[in-house]
Amino acid sequence: MASKVTLNINSSASKFLMNVITTEDYQHTYWPKLDSAIDQLLTQSPGDCIPISYEQIYSCVYKCVCQQHSEQMYCDLITKITSHLRRVSEELQVSSPDTYIERFNAALSQYMGALQSIVPLFIYMNKFYIETKLNRDLKDDLIKLFTEQVAEKHVPTLMPLLIEAQSTPFKVTPSTMANIVKGLYTLRPDWAQLAPSLFSKFIPNILPPALESKLSEYAAQDQKLQRELMQNGFARGDQSRKRAGEELMFNGSASSSCANTRGFR
């Protein structure tokens, strides 16, 4: 009887040992799967269907957390995404002024969309390592990475282009302008002080309350905007242009809705 019990214990111990994930297992089997999945998520276009098994990746993360590989997995994830964002920043640096705003918007939207898949996949690591031991949150850490590796390096170039585009009606689509301004404000609210007038169009309570003493100044600004619109062919009473403008806004809104399916909250 005793030998039978010993045999059962040894069998259970052997089974447990067979499920142990060694450092070599993590480095050569588990992390490569995660690395490949992260690559695909970071480079996908909005609406793309990624050929990866979310269940398999989720299970892979869970097993690594249970086997005490959370710290290494977190370091590998941060290193991976940092490297990706440095490449994104370098590509933006060689963009022409004519495409700079659109390319920054594409990079911002693509990254924020990727986070909506990456963060849930690493939920166990976030809960049992990042929140517990580091007292932080994975999504906050990854947004901070974009701020440091991309946005902070490009805001000095981006902001003057946005201000210039603001003064030229329809040089940049309203959806693109809104996405960038709201995105920058999410990354660092103090950036609104670089262009209060621009940010106030998309973020409430940026500017101080209107003053009665400045009503004439506000009216002059409105008249200036109307003159600029007329100079660009948007004359009052021209219903054909009004309808074209409405169609443009509709298409822009539909495009924005599609692009932002995996964008900001």
Side-chain angles (χ1 to χ4, degrees):
M1 182 69 176
S3 62
K4 185 176 181 181
V5 171
T6 301
L7 180 62
N8 287 337
I9 293 174
N10 289 337
S11 175
S12 298
S14 298
K15 185 177 180 181
F16 175 78
L17 290 173
M18 287 175 64
N19 290 328
V20 169
I21 299 175
T22 65
T23 300
E24 290 73 21
D25 291 334
Y26 168 80
Q27 292 175 342
H28 300 295
T29 302
Y30 286 86
W31 175 249
K33 292 180 182 178
L34 298 175
D35 182 89
S36 176
I38 294 166
D39 252 338
Q40 294 181 65
L41 291 171
L42 287 173
T43 57
Q44 69 178 334
S45 298
D48 279 359
C49 182
I50 304 300
I52 63 175
S53 170
Y54 286 86
E55 182 179 358
Q56 183 183 51
I57 300 304
Y58 184 86
S59 175
C60 188
V61 171
Y62 174 77
K63 291 176 182 178
C64 289
V65 170
C66 291
Q67 294 288 323
Q68 308 301 314
H69 294 289
S70 296
E71 181 176 1
Q72 185 59 55
M73 186 163 52
Y74 174 73
C75 291
D76 289 338
L77 177 63
I78 295 299
T79 300
K80 171 75 177 178
I81 294 183
T82 299
S83 177
H84 167 76
L85 290 176
R86 285 175 178 169
R87 290 195 299 271
V88 169
S89 181
E90 290 170 358
E91 291 172 0
L92 283 171
Q93 285 175 351
V94 298
S95 299
S96 67
D98 292 338
T99 62
Y100 194 93
I101 293 177
E102 292 292 346
R103 294 190 66 175
F104 184 91
N105 181 57
L108 175 65
S109 299
Q110 186 179 55
Y111 184 73
M112 292 304 175
L115 293 194
Q116 292 200 8
S117 295
I118 293 173
V119 172
L121 286 175
F122 286 86
I123 189 171
Y124 271 96
M125 182 184 72
N126 188 46
K127 183 176 182 180
F128 293 104
Y129 177 69
I130 302 175
E131 290 183 354
T132 304
K133 295 189 177 181
L134 303 182
N135 296 316
R136 297 202 302 267
D137 178 78
L138 178 59
K139 185 175 182 179
D140 292 342
D141 282 1
L142 297 184
I143 289 178
K144 184 180 179 183
L145 274 184
F146 187 90
T147 304
E148 294 174 344
Q149 299 297 328
V150 181
E152 286 181 352
K153 296 177 180 179
H154 291 275
V155 159
T157 302
L158 178 67
M159 199 62 68
L161 293 174
L162 291 175
I163 294 172
E164 179 186 356
Q166 179 195 17
S167 64
T168 307
F170 306 107
K171 182 175 183 179
V172 175
T173 62
S175 59
T176 295
M177 186 71 79
N179 191 58
I180 293 177
V181 170
K182 291 178 180 179
L184 292 176
Y185 189 77
T186 298
L187 298 177
R188 274 186 50 183
D190 61 300
W191 277 335
Q193 302 309 311
L194 298 176
S197 178
L198 171 63
F199 276 74
S200 68
K201 295 182 182 299
F202 307 98
I203 310 294
N205 303 320
I206 294 296
L207 295 177
L211 299 175
E212 185 177 353
S213 60
K214 292 190 174 183
L215 288 178
S216 59
E217 182 180 334
Y218 301 147
Q221 291 175 353
D222 288 341
Q223 291 173 1
K224 179 183 177 183
L225 176 60
Q226 290 176 14
R227 287 195 300 271
E228 290 174 349
L229 288 171
M230 293 175 66
Q231 289 170 2
N232 282 276
F234 292 87
R236 280 193 248 176
D238 190 340
Q239 295 301 314
S240 64
R241 289 191 179 278
K242 181 179 179 182
R243 287 193 295 271
E246 289 172 347
E247 181 181 356
L248 174 65
M249 289 296 292
F250 176 80
N251 291 336
S253 298
S255 163
S256 172
S257 173
C258 211
N260 288 332
T261 300
R262 301 174 66 88
F264 280 110
R265 291 175 291 173

